[in-house]
Amino acid sequence: MSIPWLLDRPPYLPFLEPRTARPPGLMPLGAAPLVAADPDFAAQMAERARLLRAVPDTVLACLPDGHALAAELLDHVIAATRHPFAWQDGTWLRPDGEAVPVDRGRPLESLGRMTAEDWCLLCPGPAEYRLVAAVLCFPSRWSLAEKLGRALTSIHAPVPDYAGDLARRVNRMFEALRPERPVWRVNWLVHAQSALHLPLREEEKVARERIGPETPLYLRTERQTLSRLPRTGAVAFGIKTSLSPLEALSAPEAAALARELGALEAPTIAYRSGGDLQAEAFRRLANMAGQATALGPSCD
C-alpha cells in the first residue's frame, strides 16, 4: 500500500550528535523558518484536512483561557510568513498551490489548514506552564483530550526520568524564552506504524503490536519549535512530523541510531515502544551498519 507522506530520506538526524540526540537538545531557531515546507507537505495537508473534517473533537481543543492565545498565535504565524508561503488579502497561499481563507473566529482550525505543523499553546501558571489549546492532527501515541488543562510535569508524568532534573531544566527554559529568540529541537522515535494520526490514552499503551522480521519499521521525527507570544506571554509549541523507512538510513546513520537505541534503559524502552520493537529495530540497524556484533548488547 502506498503511503503518500513517506519520505525517501529523513529530513533530520538528531541522533548523529550527542547534544541533539537526547532531550532537551535545544538550539536557537535563528534565521530558520518557523513554518516548514518539506516534500511531504501536500500529502500531509490532505491528511490534515481529512482529520479536521472527520474527527474535529479529537484534533482541536481550546479551554476558555486559550482563545486569546490562539488568536495571537494565528497573527504570529501570519507575521512570520516567508517564501514558499504567502499572505494576500486575508488568504494564506500554500506551496502546494492551495489558497486557504483564514477565519479569525476559528484560529486553531485555520492554522490546521495553513501549516503542516501541529500547534500546542501553553500559558503561564502558578508553578508551571499549562496546556490550554491545540490543533493536534499527528500525535505520536498521546491524547490531546487527556493532556488538556494539565501542567508540564503532569503532562510528562509517564515519561521516564522526566520528573526531577529534566523537568527543572524545561521549566527554566520556558521562563527564559524571549519573543525574539525562538528555539527548536528534533525528537526521534522508531515506529511500526505508518499512520501520522496516532492518538492513544495512557492506559491504551499497555497493548503492544507483534513485531517480526517482516514488520515495516519507520523513523519518525518531530521538528519542534518553541516561541514566546509577546502579547499574552504564552508559549507556542510547533510540531512538524516526518516519516521515512528505517532502511532509508546510510550505514553510518544506522550505526549512530543503533548506539542511541542501545543506550536506552528498560523503562524508556517500555514507554517508547516495547522490547520487541526495540530488539528488531536494533537488529536491523546493526545489520545495515555492518556492525552486528560491535554496536552493543541485545535489547531482548
Side-chain angles (χ1 to χ4, degrees):
M1 181 182 68
S2 174
I3 305 168
W5 47 78
L6 196 65
L7 293 173
D8 294 334
R9 283 283 300 160
Y12 306 102
L13 300 165
F15 43 82
L16 291 182
E17 296 185 44
R19 70 188 182 99
T20 58
R22 301 179 189 182
L26 290 164
M27 300 167 288
L29 185 62
L34 179 67
V35 175
D38 294 326
D40 55 6
F41 183 84
Q44 289 204 2
M45 296 312 297
E47 177 67 355
R48 295 176 74 81
R50 185 189 71 80
L51 291 166
L52 286 163
R53 289 193 305 268
V55 288
D57 292 341
T58 300
V59 301
L60 294 166
C62 189
L63 296 178
D65 51 349
H67 293 297
L69 281 58
E72 185 180 9
L73 175 60
L74 179 60
D75 290 341
H76 180 69
V77 170
I78 291 171
T81 301
R82 64 174 71 177
H83 183 79
F85 298 91
W87 175 247
Q88 181 178 319
D89 300 328
T91 299
W92 179 264
L93 305 177
R94 297 192 328 214
D96 60 349
E98 291 292 321
V100 181
V102 172
D103 183 350
R104 291 189 177 275
R106 305 173 70 88
L108 290 172
E109 184 174 345
S110 292
L111 285 162
R113 300 180 188 279
M114 290 164 58
T115 77
E117 280 81 4
D118 286 317
W119 298 98
C120 297
L121 284 160
L122 299 107
C123 72
E128 287 190 303
Y129 282 71
R130 186 170 58 94
L131 178 63
V132 296
V135 50
L136 184 72
C137 293
F138 302 153
S140 179
R141 303 175 69 244
W142 64 282
S143 161
L144 176 56
E146 187 175 56
K147 304 296 187 181
L148 190 69
R150 292 165 63 176
L152 282 170
T153 298
S154 175
I155 288 171
H156 293 95
V159 180
D161 299 325
Y162 182 86
D165 182 61
L166 182 55
R168 287 189 292 270
R169 291 165 64 191
V170 170
N171 288 333
R172 286 198 300 268
M173 180 275 298
F174 266 67
E175 290 297 334
L177 197 61
R178 298 291 176 263
E180 68 276 10
R181 294 182 180 176
V183 298
W184 74 296
R185 67 179 297 267
V186 179
N187 190 41
W188 60 269
L189 294 163
V190 176
H191 267 272
Q193 296 286 337
S194 61
L196 293 169
H197 180 67
L198 294 172
L200 278 183
R201 300 183 74 90
E202 289 302 327
E203 65 270 17
E204 296 175 313
K205 291 185 181 181
V206 176
R208 299 291 185 184
E209 58 229 300
R210 295 182 63 85
I211 305 296
E214 73 290 342
T215 305
L217 296 183
Y218 306 94
L219 175 65
R220 183 173 175 130
T221 62
E222 296 174 347
R223 178 190 188 258
Q224 302 175 348
T225 61
L226 288 159
S227 307
R228 169 84 67 198
L229 302 181
R231 290 202 306 267
T232 60
V235 171
F237 181 41
I239 311 165
K240 169 57 179 73
T241 299
S242 300
L243 200 70
S244 56
L246 201 62
E247 291 75 16
L249 297 174
S250 69
E253 293 162 355
L257 181 54
R259 280 193 293 271
E260 289 300 321
L261 285 177
L264 297 178
E265 297 183 352
T268 301
I269 293 170
Y271 171 75
R272 280 180 167 233
S273 57
D276 288 352
L277 191 151
Q278 170 84 359
E280 180 61 23
F282 189 89
R283 184 191 68 79
R284 291 190 204 179
L285 290 165
N287 287 337
M288 290 164 56
Q291 302 175 24
T293 61
L295 287 172
S298 169
C299 301
D300 293 340

